[in-house]
Amino acid sequence: MFYSFFEKIYRKQQLSSLKKNPKVFSENIRLGVGNRFVLDKDLKKVSIGKSAEFRNYTCILVAKDASLEIGDRFFMNNFCSINCLEHISIGENTLFGENVKLYDHNHAYETSPEFKLHPSKFTKAPIKIGNNCWLGSNVTVLKGVTIGDNCIIGAGCTIYKDIPANTQVVNKQDLIFNSL
């Protein structure tokens, strides 16, 4: 009982912070339990279309100088995250299964004179997801990808290159059975 009381307060705080931010535009969004919007004070723009729904325990990160655009009637299922350091756009009537992840960046690294990974430097490229798309559970979309309209991305796929419109992508992973 106490948990649901505090969750309602937290949800109202999240909605209030979205409404108060002059760079955030949204209309009639629905939030589930445990959602987080991490918005840099110097972000470029966040636009969330009408009737967008964020189920439970989702996380939206929009960094300095980045922009996120989400179309009308968008649905994000449990445990999804959007990590936006440059630009991500998602079309109308698009839905995400559980645990979908979007990353418009990678960590920067050097290989010469020796290997060095930079924890706070990134290479970036925008992500564009079209209208009427369905990304199944556990899909990961990496930087620089465009997914055309009317696409279905099967569960467990890692999308690292463009997908043309009207395409279904299936993760062709073979199961190998060995006798014990």
Side-chain angles (χ1 to χ4, degrees):
M1 181 169 156
F2 287 115
Y3 177 77
S4 65
F5 172 74
F6 289 116
E7 186 53 47
K8 285 179 185 177
I9 291 172
Y10 181 73
R11 194 175 320 166
K12 285 184 180 187
Q13 287 174 337
Q14 289 286 292
L15 287 169
S16 176
S17 70
L18 290 173
K19 288 178 184 175
K20 287 179 184 176
N21 190 323
K23 296 178 184 175
V24 175
F25 307 94
S26 65
E27 187 175 333
N28 191 30
I29 67 171
R30 290 179 301 248
L31 296 181
V33 173
N35 296 300
R36 291 186 55 212
F37 287 82
V38 181
L39 307 176
D40 189 279
K41 66 180 179 61
D42 294 319
L43 64 81
K44 197 177 288 181
K45 175 183 166 187
V46 173
S47 174
I48 302 172
K50 296 176 188 167
S51 300
E53 182 176 349
F54 299 84
R55 187 68 61 84
N56 301 315
Y57 306 105
T58 63
C59 183
I60 311 297
L61 168 81
V62 184
K64 179 180 179 181
D65 297 325
S67 60
L68 172 64
E69 298 173 76
I70 297 174
D72 294 344
R73 295 169 303 283
F74 168 74
F75 174 78
M76 177 182 271
N77 213 330
N78 303 316
F79 306 106
C80 293
S81 69
I82 296 174
N83 301 275
C84 181
L85 300 191
E86 183 174 281
H87 181 79
I88 295 176
S89 69
I90 302 167
E92 296 181 353
N93 303 310
T94 291
L95 63 95
F96 289 2
E98 288 192 343
N99 204 40
V100 169
K101 310 291 184 196
L102 306 183
Y103 301 98
D104 69 350
H105 60 282
N106 283 334
H107 287 278
Y109 63 91
E110 300 170 27
T111 57
S112 181
E114 62 185 56
F115 184 82
K116 183 176 183 180
L117 182 63
H118 298 284
S120 5
K121 290 183 184 176
F122 302 95
T123 59
K124 303 176 233 178
I127 292 173
K128 182 180 187 309
I129 299 172
N131 297 317
N132 306 309
C133 291
W134 172 22
L135 281 63
S137 295
N138 300 306
V139 168
T140 300
V141 180
L142 300 178
K143 72 174 188 158
V145 166
T146 296
I147 298 173
D149 293 340
N150 311 311
C151 287
I152 298 172
I153 311 298
C157 290
T158 298
I159 305 301
Y160 58 90
K161 59 184 177 180
D162 292 350
I163 308 296
N166 305 303
T167 300
Q168 180 180 18
V169 178
V170 178
N171 187 0
K172 187 179 176 191
Q173 198 173 25
D174 290 334
L175 296 176
I176 300 170
F177 295 90
N178 295 319
S179 295
L180 297 175

